Amino acid sequence: MRAARLIKMVLLLQNRPTMTGAELARELEVSERTVTRDAQALSEAGVPVYAERGRTGGYRLVGGYRTRLTGLARGEAEALFLSGVPGALREMGLEDIASAARLKLSAALLPSLRDAPRAAAQRFHLDAPAWFREPEAPPLLTVIADAVWDDRCVRARYRRGDGEVERELEPYGLVLKAGVWYLCARVREAGTFRTYRIDRFVAFEAIDPADAADGTDGAETAARLKDRFSRDVDFDLPGFWAEQAERFARSILRAETIVRLSAAGVRALPHAVDPVAARDALAGAGQPDERGWTTVTLRVESEDVAYTQLTALGPEAEVLAPAALRERFAADAVRLTALYGHRGA
């Protein structure tokens, strides 16, 4: 394990001019003290790792050092061929490029690893879209993907409610969630990051400085509308998406129910309702009563949604409030008794 970590540390420093101890610790999933020991071990082994102290300091390789430890193990080669999502690459217009890259990688592998692509394909397949829906790429996806790759400032128009809104955006990244494409972008005027469903864009074009408005302020406008933007190096796409997804999930939970759950109901709750709502409800629950039942306050999208979701728990859940929802379940209980209570009597 340590040998693999030392190699990874060298490769990280080879690809970046300087990295702080905290950055290396995060990448290697170890403590900063371990990073210090590893750097010393590399130095003693003849790898010129240099540690520079101070606010702007960090670790770096001296003299343009390059390692020759670039051979791939079988597991690494197979993982590389799993890293692409064929459907997503095709929808973004990158299928030919990805295919050429895979061919080049295959040609560069050792003969003993040439079957890695076939071995990976036989064992794993990713089907991203949800069930019961035909995957359909948004018409502007390829254009948007190009802007993301090139860091192009764009002028976009999208549907919001019954109208359309125009924005100048810096497109940072694409996310494919359950067959739906989203764009994470920074709004130029506000300087804030937002998420957009790509199928709601009706126009998306790169901003050309030559398109600046006529008049005395033309030069100022041209300077403002740069054709490319400088990325915020601290922007973390996976982290941003996770935060936005949880915020969205919480934003639609506008109603509240009080429910008693059996031990089986507690275990089944995360599978019946929104996972965020279930997590919050169980985290705020008290101790089970003498019968082993737990009372929770559960946030839901609406009473109708709560009715549909909690029905799946059957007799493992008792709705206490609101009264109208409890009455719906009580009426169901009467109907079920009529259906099943006297059968065969």
Side-chain angles (χ1 to χ4, degrees):
M1 287 293 291
R2 191 189 186 198
R5 189 175 72 239
L6 291 174
I7 292 172
K8 184 176 180 180
M9 183 174 179
V10 173
L11 293 174
L12 285 169
L13 293 174
Q14 184 173 292
N15 290 325
R16 306 182 196 179
T18 303
M19 293 185 69
T20 66
E23 289 172 336
L24 283 168
R26 186 166 57 250
E27 291 282 354
L28 299 172
E29 298 181 351
V30 295
S31 67
E32 291 190 45
R33 182 174 296 179
T34 299
V35 169
T36 301
R37 289 198 296 265
D38 285 353
Q40 183 176 352
L42 286 170
S43 181
E44 292 172 354
V47 178
V49 178
Y50 176 72
E52 196 171 41
R53 300 185 182 279
R55 287 184 58 191
T56 60
Y59 294 87
R60 62 186 177 87
L61 294 175
V62 180
Y65 176 84
R66 306 289 294 180
T67 178
R68 295 175 181 266
L69 298 173
T70 54
L72 292 175
R74 168 168 291 278
E76 294 169 333
E78 292 175 347
L80 280 175
F81 284 100
L82 283 174
S83 62
V85 185
L89 291 170
R90 182 173 58 253
E91 292 177 1
M92 288 189 292
L94 299 175
E95 185 177 26
D96 290 342
I97 296 174
S99 177
R102 286 193 294 269
L103 287 173
K104 290 178 181 179
L105 178 57
S106 296
L109 291 174
L110 293 172
S112 60
L113 300 178
R114 295 281 168 81
D115 66 334
R118 183 169 177 270
Q122 285 179 331
R123 288 165 174 79
F124 299 98
H125 174 67
L126 176 61
D127 186 6
W131 284 103
F132 311 117
R133 61 173 293 168
E134 281 294 323
E136 184 176 344
L140 293 172
L141 177 59
T142 301
V143 176
I144 294 172
D146 287 343
V148 170
W149 278 113
D150 293 340
D151 295 340
R152 290 278 184 181
C153 301
V154 299
R155 185 177 291 107
R157 194 167 72 253
Y158 65 97
R159 295 189 301 275
R160 188 172 70 180
D162 295 330
E164 294 183 358
V165 177
E166 186 171 287
R167 291 282 186 271
E168 291 175 11
L169 303 175
E170 296 175 355
Y172 266 66
L174 294 171
V175 175
L176 178 60
K177 170 71 171 179
V180 180
W181 284 95
Y182 296 87
L183 172 69
C184 300
R186 180 160 57 187
V187 181
R188 299 196 54 161
E189 183 177 349
T192 55
F193 288 94
R194 297 181 187 173
T195 303
Y196 302 87
R197 273 188 64 142
I198 289 182
D199 57 10
R200 293 180 182 168
F201 283 108
V202 295
F204 201 93
E205 59 181 359
I207 295 175
D208 187 343
D211 292 338
D214 295 331
T216 56
D217 62 344
E220 180 182 345
T221 304
R224 181 175 62 86
L225 301 180
K226 298 177 181 178
D227 62 341
R228 282 186 169 86
F229 64 91
S230 298
R231 283 181 168 265
D232 182 347
V233 296
D234 294 327
F235 179 77
D236 172 26
L237 180 59
F240 174 78
W241 174 257
E243 180 182 330
Q244 291 292 302
E246 181 157 335
R247 184 178 301 171
F248 171 75
R250 294 183 190 281
S251 71
I252 63 174
L253 303 176
R254 302 185 181 93
E256 192 172 272
T257 64
I258 300 177
V259 186
R260 288 180 69 240
L261 299 167
S262 68
V266 169
R267 293 192 297 270
L269 187 67
H271 306 288
V273 304
D274 181 88
V276 172
R279 186 169 66 245
D280 290 349
L282 296 176
Q287 294 297 315
D289 61 20
E290 63 280 0
R291 294 177 52 203
W293 286 62
T294 302
T295 300
V296 300
T297 299
L298 177 69
R299 295 190 61 79
V300 293
E301 187 173 346
S302 67
E303 185 176 307
D304 287 338
V305 171
Y307 172 76
T308 301
Q309 293 176 335
L310 294 175
T311 296
L313 296 178
E316 307 304 330
E318 177 191 2
V319 174
L320 303 180
L325 183 60
R326 180 179 175 85
E327 290 171 4
R328 291 177 70 174
F329 278 98
D332 281 355
V334 172
R335 292 173 60 197
L336 287 169
T337 300
L339 287 172
Y340 295 100
H342 303 290
R343 179 73 65 178

